[in-house]
Amino acid sequence: MEGEDALSWDSDELNRIQNLHLRAFDSLEDYLHSANLAAYLGLHPVDGLHMSVPLNLVFIGFQSDGNAKVDVSSDELVSWFSHVDHVLPHTRVALSELSCSLDGHCAGTAELDSVAPSPLPSFVHLNMSCNVVVIQKGDVLSTFERAIAAFSRPMDPDYVEGDQQADALKLQPFVDSFIGAHGLNRACNVGVTVDALKLEPFVDSFIRALGLNRAYTMLVLNPKWSASLPAYGYRIGFSEYELRMMNENAAMPELQLGAAVRWGAEPAPPAYPGSAHSGWPLSIKKYQVSDLQHQSYIWSRSANQYLSDLEDFNRHVLKLLGPRTKGSAALARAATLLQKRDDLSQLLASTLKLPPEHLHNPKFKATHPLEDCPTPLWVSQSRWLLMDLTARRTDWGPALGGDGVVVHTTLPDVSYAFGNAEEKRAEKRLAKGEAAEEMETRSKLHSMRNDRLAAVAQQQAHERTMPHVVHGAAPGEVPADRYDPDGNPTRHLSAEEEEDMDKRHQEATLQAELNVYEEFATVHCAGRINPPVVCAEAEEAVLDLKHSLQQLSKHTGTNTKARLHPDHGWDIFGKEADDESTTAAYSAAKDVFFSEISAALSRGLRHVIAPPSATWHHQGYLHDTASPYAHKVHFTIYTIQDTSRKLGPWRERGVQFDLDSFKQQLARLAMPHQAFSFSTLTLNLLDDAALAAAFAVSLRTSFMQVPHAVSDPVENEALYLDSRELALRLKQRFAFNTARAAASSDPHALLDVPVFIFELDRDVPVLIDEHYNARALEDLILVVENAANQDEHPTGMMCDGILLHRPLSPLKHALSAVLQHLGGVLPPHLGYNPGRKVVQHDWLWSVGAHPLSWTSWGGQYSQMHIDALHRSYVLDAIDSSADMVNDGIVLLQENVPHVKTFAKLQATRGELQQLLQQFAQLVNVWRAMVAHGATLEYHAAAEVITTSEALGKAFYKQCEKIIAELTPQKCKVRTGGLPPLLIAAIYGTSTAAGLAVAIVLILPLFKKKAKAI
């Protein structure tokens, strides 16, 4: 089934399959020389079918324009990433064997058990077709750098941007992180949050502008970032300090849910229609290079206009809030979010309503999980993944350690990887810089800089000493409107006006210094190989100036992009030519560096883009159970309340399960030709004795080891529901039938999914099977919502040295359970290692704002997880039909050709031709499903699921029919049953006597049979 090209079916093989039924079957010699009937018919077992998965690789900042001036060509990228796991056999894990320690939900150490789940067979191999994208050098990177600055805000509201003294005191830990000395923790109280909610539409715009939206895209960023600035991370929420500050300012009119904010709507990124084409054809090369420099340049121009508008908007908002307002950037972002009507705004609004004393209650973080983990990676709501090599390195994963925990050395560090090569370059510059000519050039630059800064300082001093000089007034004369009623001159500038003037003067100084470096580089550095050493020094100084101007532009109202190298870009500083030793060090560093990047991207492929799936099939085969796909899916949602206990005021329920958002997200899982429907029923344990009894007999008590923030792990007593026991009792109580319509000719007609949501008002939390808020079983889904303290049931996960809190609202866990129930979609921290035959934990790509992530709160499915669900439907159907075909071919292989059966073979020619036609039809259906999968149109592939399974079953039945006609049957003499007298004699006597009677009566029957034979 595999041609020479792993991405496509071989044309000769297809022609052979299509023409098999045209044979006459009249050659006795060919028949006798065949090993078996299957070989004579030209049928071979299906070993594998390849489904192409389109993948774009976009590297930004790797054309000597990023950090450490890493330079790699597109050919080198193709060569390097041809070693990535580009062919991934689809694997399944039996959910019945997936324990808590294996799926990573345990609060203790997440180690793998010795008993590993057995892999279930799959014939499909997911084959990555990689498209390396070449973008415009410099322009795209500078646009992303500007976006990072525009989307960022300090994690600590007390941090004042532009305060150089504060910078010097606070930023040393971030300098250390850049050289790989150690990671950061929140004790530093400083850092930068890059708002991922703004980043996602920005990157979506980039993807669509380049026409890459019909495939998965992996972006690797290598932006320049000054070591004197705080390191940044991507998140959708807020830091703990921001949440406390916002709660203190909850009375602000702008922080009311749905309030009409006076500063207007926030600008939106440029919109592009995207590519209307359906990805790659199956005949493409395994790797290809797309030159999209022009498209990326056009996008950067429109994106910079959007960023200019956004910067103006941010400055306008900050001005309205007041320049001295603490945490004004966080307040402005919160006010903007509260204008919307989504789950995040509802969560933020409920946070602001809490009394101040509740901020010190552990329940605060559990009820309002907006303090998510800032990470250097991001999984989007659409079809792209981002890895930023310059962002802040954070630790996350199980708090007590285990497999796959992410540490600050997990991702490659550009500065550390190329440190040896940079040292050699620095030594070369140092030796070269001692020459007289170099000293003279450096002196020219210093002279230009000092003269320019002196002129600017003189102009600013003049402006400060003559604040009242206006047109038409004599020097030193104060205009009439500047006198008070007593005739005295009015007061000097206010504190706000003084601060505004200081910032404008600081910006003018920085811009003047920037202009000096640009003028100098244009004359002495541009277009030169091995320019003066001072050119490299000037480039480093310009980088610091650029970031300083970007921070000031948030307050002063100046568009720094238009004045930063408007015509020349970063090429004006020339290019250093490395000597032999530096080149060797750089080449070795690049080999190690890109091998680490390849490994990280490969993990993204195996855990996010093409993850394994889980199933409840126990027999090890797929044709014994229908695919989980159904034309109609009905969700029956039972909300079961427990109000039997009166909780204290501080234990009142802080958040409700958002049923509307739950149903809205489930509706997104439906394919265009699928119909999802919902029905809801609300019950109370006080009013239903049978239901209360079912709950009571399922309740268990255990002791579990959980991490502690300041001490060793402790054992806590915990209450939990036994999911199996509870499911059994619920089936008896409601008598629902979740089986598919067995009587229907179409096993995919209807699927009924019962969802039980227990809303528990109790003083102690109740989980499911000790560690779960929601659990997917074979025929139903269980969800538990608690109103108890968070610290009584922690998750056992940590981020940046801080324990992650389990949200009281189980919305994201319920959404994850539905994905697992419908199609076996596993969270991204789980993977299967075929070599070790174990389930692997890898928390690297457990990021992003989606229900399957542990590092961030997210109540919306990512398109990649929806694709994984739909792909699971298609792959199950392909495997089911291929399994049936192979079983039929095994029957044919058991028939050995013989002269005596050739005549019967001639008599069954019509059945043989029908069998081969069915096989050719099934092959065409497989091809169509694979082709639709290669363009990510899984809904089109799912339309022929029923056809593929019907053809597979028909093929197997036809094989049975042919074997029955070709295999001679031995005749047997039909003998009657035991005479009634014998039966009565046996039952009416003792055992020994009955046996004697039986021997006497049966022996003549055997003699008659022998004579007949």
Side-chain angles (χ1 to χ4, degrees):
M1 286 300 164
E2 301 179 27
E4 295 179 359
D5 186 354
L7 288 179
S8 63
W9 294 69
D10 187 271
S11 57
D12 294 336
E13 176 70 8
L14 284 177
N15 292 333
R16 188 189 70 82
I17 293 175
Q18 297 293 334
N19 297 326
L20 284 176
H21 69 282
L22 300 178
R23 295 173 54 188
F25 304 107
D26 56 359
S27 175
L28 176 61
E29 182 179 359
D30 292 343
Y31 179 62
L32 296 178
H33 282 82
S34 300
N36 50 61
L37 181 56
Y40 175 69
L41 297 177
L43 298 176
H44 308 285
V46 178
D47 293 327
L49 291 86
H50 285 260
M51 176 180 288
S52 175
V53 178
L55 175 67
N56 299 309
L57 296 175
V58 183
F59 289 80
I60 303 174
F62 292 87
Q63 297 169 288
S64 298
D65 53 348
N67 191 17
K69 293 187 176 180
V70 182
D71 187 14
V72 58
S73 65
S74 58
D75 293 337
E76 288 179 305
L77 289 176
V78 169
S79 175
W80 261 111
F81 293 98
S82 61
H83 300 289
V84 174
D85 293 337
H86 53 272
V87 179
L88 302 176
H90 182 62
T91 54
R92 293 180 179 86
V93 175
L95 277 172
S96 58
E97 300 180 14
L98 201 59
S99 64
C100 168
S101 59
L102 286 175
D103 66 19
H105 281 76
C106 288
T109 306
E111 297 283 0
L112 297 180
D113 288 346
S114 58
V115 180
S118 305
L120 297 175
S122 177
F123 300 99
V124 181
H125 298 262
L126 301 177
N127 209 320
M128 304 296 161
S129 56
C130 300
N131 176 40
V132 176
V133 179
V134 179
I135 59 174
Q136 182 67 31
K137 177 181 178 180
D139 293 279
V140 175
L141 177 65
S142 62
T143 304
F144 269 88
E145 290 172 345
R146 186 181 183 188
I148 291 173
F151 301 157
S152 65
R153 66 177 184 271
M155 295 182 186
D156 187 353
D158 289 330
Y159 175 74
V160 180
E161 296 176 329
D163 188 342
Q164 297 179 357
Q165 183 177 2
D167 292 346
L169 293 174
K170 294 184 177 182
L171 299 182
Q172 184 59 41
F174 295 92
V175 177
D176 295 339
S177 72
F178 269 83
I179 63 176
H182 57 76
L184 287 173
N185 53 53
R186 297 187 186 181
C188 300
N189 290 350
V190 74
V192 170
T193 291
V194 178
D195 195 331
L197 289 181
K198 293 184 179 180
L199 176 77
E200 288 210 17
F202 179 79
V203 179
D204 287 340
S205 172
F206 173 72
I207 297 294
R208 298 183 71 85
L210 271 59
L212 306 177
N213 55 296
R214 301 292 296 184
Y216 300 108
T217 302
M218 305 186 80
L219 299 100
V220 183
L221 287 183
N222 182 34
K224 299 184 295 291
W225 196 256
S226 175
S228 63
L229 291 174
Y232 58 89
Y234 300 97
R235 72 184 340 163
I236 65 167
F238 299 86
S239 68
E240 178 183 359
Y241 313 104
E242 289 177 318
L243 290 174
R244 295 184 184 277
M245 179 272 302
M246 287 188 293
N247 189 269
E248 295 172 359
N249 294 272
M252 292 178 59
E254 292 84 1
L255 295 185
Q256 308 306 313
L257 183 62
V261 181
R262 62 183 184 274
W263 51 70
E266 187 177 63
Y272 292 91
S275 174
H277 302 290
S278 301
W280 288 273
L282 292 178
S283 60
I284 67 166
K285 297 179 181 179
K286 177 63 184 176
Y287 291 91
Q288 69 177 20
V289 178
S290 296
D291 188 349
L292 301 179
Q293 296 185 69
H294 177 69
Q295 292 89 331
S296 60
Y297 172 71
I298 297 299
W299 170 82
S300 65
R301 295 179 59 183
S302 59
N304 275 295
Q305 182 58 51
Y306 153 69
L307 293 174
S308 297
D309 297 339
L310 180 63
E311 290 164 353
D312 292 340
F313 175 80
N314 291 338
R315 287 189 292 268
H316 175 63
V317 170
L318 294 179
K319 183 177 180 180
L320 292 177
L321 288 175
R324 304 297 297 180
T325 302
K326 175 184 175 182
S328 54
L331 290 173
R333 182 56 182 158
T336 305
L337 289 176
L338 290 171
Q339 293 185 77
K340 304 177 182 179
R341 290 287 185 178
D342 55 14
D343 46 6
L344 186 61
S345 63
Q346 297 286 342
L347 194 60
L348 180 59
S350 60
T351 303
L352 300 178
K353 293 178 181 178
L354 283 178
E357 61 270 16
H358 283 210
L359 297 179
H360 303 284
N361 186 344
K363 178 183 175 182
F364 166 69
K365 294 181 179 180
T367 309
H368 312 284
L370 286 175
E371 185 190 353
D372 51 352
C373 182
T375 61
L377 303 101
W378 196 256
V379 173
S380 71
Q381 295 288 322
S382 48
R383 288 178 171 139
W384 55 264
L385 292 77
L386 174 71
M387 180 167 63
D388 192 328
L389 300 177
T390 308
R392 183 179 189 229
R393 279 160 175 74
T394 309
D395 303 348
W396 68 87
L400 300 183
D403 293 318
V405 176
V406 179
V407 296
H408 69 277
T409 58
T410 300
L411 287 177
D413 190 315
V414 177
S415 300
Y416 180 81
F418 294 93
N420 188 24
E422 289 297 318
E423 288 179 3
K424 291 184 178 297
R425 286 175 178 171
E427 293 174 359
K428 178 182 175 183
R429 293 171 188 165
L430 183 61
K432 182 180 177 182
E434 296 178 355
E437 183 179 356
E438 291 284 346
M439 299 293 290
E440 182 180 355
T441 307
R442 182 179 287 105
S443 177
K444 290 181 180 179
L445 175 59
H446 290 171
S447 178
M448 291 176 59
R449 178 177 177 273
N450 292 335
D451 292 344
R452 186 70 56 85
L453 293 182
V456 172
Q458 183 179 3
Q459 180 180 358
Q460 293 174 357
H462 183 72
E463 182 180 354
R464 286 184 180 277
T465 56
M466 303 185 68
H468 304 299
V469 174
V470 295
H471 182 69
E477 179 184 352
V478 181
D481 58 351
R482 296 299 179 94
Y483 287 97
D484 60 16
D486 298 330
N488 299 317
T490 56
R491 64 179 180 85
H492 294 287
L493 298 177
S494 64
E496 294 184 2
E497 293 172 331
E498 286 283 355
E499 183 179 4
D500 184 64
M501 178 179 290
D502 289 340
K503 289 185 178 296
R504 286 190 289 106
H505 287 176
Q506 186 178 359
E507 183 198 9
T509 302
L510 294 174
Q511 188 66 57
E513 188 175 0
L514 182 65
N515 293 338
V516 169
Y517 287 122
E518 181 179 0
E519 294 170 8
F520 174 84
T522 305
V523 176
H524 297 278
C525 310
R528 297 181 61 178
I529 302 298
N530 284 327
V533 175
V534 71
C535 294
E537 299 171 358
E539 185 176 6
E540 294 177 0
V542 165
L543 177 61
D544 290 335
L545 290 171
K546 170 191 172 183
H547 290 302
S548 298
L549 278 170
Q550 285 177 337
Q551 298 301 322
L552 282 172
S553 68
K554 296 181 179 180
H555 305 278
T556 59
T558 302
N559 184 352
T560 61
K561 173 64 182 178
R563 302 170 62 182
L564 183 63
H565 309 328
D567 301 320
H568 309 289
W570 291 90
D571 291 337
I572 62 175
F573 296 100
K575 182 178 182 181
E576 285 186 277
D578 295 329
D579 56 19
E580 184 176 350
S581 62
T582 305
T583 302
Y586 182 82
S587 178
K590 187 162 65 172
D591 289 343
V592 175
F593 179 70
F594 277 99
S595 66
E596 294 175 349
I597 291 183
S598 300
L601 294 182
S602 178
R603 293 156 75 177
L605 292 178
R606 289 183 279 112
H607 287 264
V608 180
I609 293 179
S613 61
T615 181
W616 288 107
H617 298 310
H618 298 283
Q619 291 83 352
Y621 295 95
L622 294 173
H623 66 260
D624 53 12
T625 306
S627 163
Y629 169 79
H631 303 306
K632 296 181 179 180
V633 180
H634 180 73
F635 294 91
T636 305
I637 302 175
Y638 301 88
T639 301
I640 302 175
Q641 299 174 345
D642 176 19
T643 58
S644 58
R645 291 165 174 78
K646 178 64 176 177
L647 301 179
W650 73 286
R651 287 181 178 268
E652 291 181 358
R653 182 179 299 276
V655 62
Q656 295 287 340
F657 185 86
D658 194 338
L659 189 58
D660 292 336
S661 295
F662 181 64
K663 293 192 292 185
Q664 181 181 7
Q665 288 302 310
L666 296 191
R668 292 182 58 204
L669 301 179
M671 294 184 177
H673 55 274
Q674 271 187 303
F676 277 26
S677 58
F678 303 91
S679 61
T680 59
L681 179 64
T682 301
L683 302 171
N684 197 306
L685 294 181
L686 292 176
D687 303 326
D688 194 316
L691 193 58
F695 181 86
V697 299
S698 305
L699 200 60
R700 306 284 188 269
T701 303
S702 70
F703 290 89
M704 63 179 182
Q705 188 183 53
V706 297
H708 195 275
V710 295
S711 65
D712 294 333
V714 296
E715 281 194 350
N716 286 350
E717 183 178 2
L719 291 178
Y720 70 93
L721 293 169
D722 187 323
S723 61
R724 294 294 176 183
E725 180 71 24
L726 181 59
L728 177 62
R729 303 288 178 172
L730 291 175
K731 293 175 187 177
Q732 295 173 353
R733 164 63 180 84
F734 293 96
F736 55 81
N737 181 19
T738 61
R740 299 171 189 270
S744 173
S745 59
D746 184 3
H748 303 283
L750 174 64
L751 175 63
D752 188 15
V753 182
V755 181
F756 291 89
I757 303 173
F758 289 85
E759 293 184 351
L760 306 179
D761 291 342
R762 290 170 172 255
D763 292 330
V764 292
V766 179
L767 300 179
I768 302 173
D769 295 338
E770 296 188 79
H771 302 283
Y772 301 88
N773 284 104
R775 198 80 193 267
L777 302 181
E778 296 98 326
D779 43 14
L780 56 84
I781 296 172
L782 298 175
V783 182
V784 171
E785 179 188 9
N786 287 287
N789 275 345
Q790 170 272 333
D791 59 345
E792 296 174 351
H793 59 300
T795 64
M797 299 296 162
M798 66 88 186
C799 173
D800 213 3
I802 302 297
L803 290 177
L804 296 178
H805 306 278
R806 185 190 301 271
L808 293 183
S809 172
L811 176 61
K812 65 175 294 184
H813 302 283
L815 293 173
S816 177
V818 171
L819 267 183
Q820 190 175 99
H821 180 83
L822 291 181
V825 179
L826 293 173
H829 68 269
L830 286 179
Y832 189 81
N833 188 323
R836 296 175 56 196
K837 295 185 178 180
V838 295
V839 172
Q840 275 191 328
H841 293 162
D842 192 342
W843 300 90
L844 181 63
W845 289 100
S846 184
V847 296
H850 56 82
L852 277 66
S853 169
W854 275 92
T855 57
S856 181
W857 186 89
Q860 296 183 3
Y861 289 123
S862 169
Q863 185 59 46
M864 284 180 282
H865 300 127
I866 297 177
D867 287 348
L869 172 65
H870 296 170
R871 188 191 302 121
S872 178
Y873 293 156
V874 176
L875 300 189
D876 278 2
I878 292 177
D879 282 330
S880 178
S881 56
D883 205 14
M884 294 294 297
V885 167
N886 281 358
D887 284 354
I889 292 177
V890 168
L891 292 178
L892 299 179
Q893 288 176 336
E894 294 175 354
N895 185 276
V896 179
H898 193 274
V899 176
K900 294 182 179 180
T901 59
F902 185 69
K904 294 183 179 180
L905 181 72
Q906 297 291 309
T908 58
R909 181 182 304 175
E911 285 79 0
L912 293 176
Q913 291 176 340
Q914 183 180 357
L915 175 71
L916 296 177
Q917 286 178 340
Q918 290 173 342
F919 181 69
Q921 292 174 2
L922 182 55
V923 167
N924 287 332
V925 172
W926 286 342
R927 288 189 65 207
M929 298 175 79
V930 168
H932 289 308
T935 58
L936 306 183
E937 296 175 338
Y938 298 112
H939 62 279
E943 292 181 356
V944 294
I945 284 179
T946 304
T947 303
S948 67
E949 293 182 347
L951 286 173
K953 293 177 181 178
F955 179 88
Y956 180 77
K957 291 181 179 179
Q958 190 71 4
C959 290
E960 286 184 322
K961 180 179 179 181
I962 292 172
I963 293 301
E965 294 182 1
L966 294 181
T967 303
Q969 302 293 325
K970 294 183 179 180
C971 298
K972 296 182 180 180
V973 176
R974 182 181 298 273
T975 58
L978 293 178
L981 180 62
L982 174 60
I983 296 176
I986 293 175
Y987 279 96
T989 60
S990 64
T991 304
L995 181 61
V997 172
I999 293 175
V1000 171
L1001 296 179
I1002 294 177
L1003 185 60
L1005 297 178
F1006 280 100
K1007 292 181 179 180
K1008 292 180 182 179
K1009 180 179 179 181
K1011 292 180 181 179
I1013 294 176

